[in-house]
Amino acid sequence: MADYLADVKKYDAAADADVVNKIVKHLGIALRNRDSSLVSCSDEKELDRVKANWIAKKLGVADAAKADAAIEKVCQAMSADNTKSRVTFYYLAAKELGKLGAL
């Protein structure tokens, strides 16, 4: 848990540990596999899954343009990181969409 929080804090110094913990619990077993614990901004199918499963289902944002804009902004923010943690990516997407409180 501390590793996930430390990674999120690289992008948001005021990151809420409870919110990070909720994302970790939501992802569960997916975090055990290295490939599924990371997000690839160059993989269109991956980003579509993030949009459908995280942004639409979990966060309740149905506006595709808004979702795409948030994903693009997170990809830009994390562009220097070759291994984009799924927990951090999801946290930043939720923050960008103003949905941290909904978690």
Side-chain angles (χ1 to χ4, degrees):
M1 177 58 208
D3 291 341
Y4 296 120
L5 182 59
D7 192 63
V8 171
K9 286 192 173 204
K10 289 193 291 189
Y11 300 96
D12 180 5
D16 184 335
D18 289 338
V19 173
V20 173
N21 194 34
K22 287 178 185 175
I23 295 171
V24 170
K25 283 184 179 179
H26 170 75
L27 291 169
I29 199 165
L31 296 176
R32 292 185 187 165
N33 179 314
R34 177 169 164 70
D35 186 52
S36 62
S37 71
L38 303 174
V39 173
S40 171
C41 285
S42 61
D43 183 345
E44 210 52 50
K45 288 181 184 176
E46 170 86 31
L47 298 180
D48 286 344
R49 278 192 300 274
V50 169
K51 184 166 52 173
N53 297 334
W54 176 247
I55 294 178
K57 282 184 185 174
K58 182 70 175 169
L59 300 181
V61 176
D63 184 341
K66 193 173 182 181
D68 287 336
I71 288 171
E72 178 63 29
K73 190 160 185 181
V74 174
C75 282
Q76 287 175 358
M78 296 183 76
S79 64
D81 198 342
N82 289 333
T83 55
K84 295 167 184 63
S85 163
R86 187 168 300 275
V87 173
T88 302
F89 196 95
Y90 281 20
Y91 181 95
L92 294 175
K95 181 178 180 187
E96 182 63 31
L97 293 164
K99 295 288 187 174
L100 287 177
L103 299 173

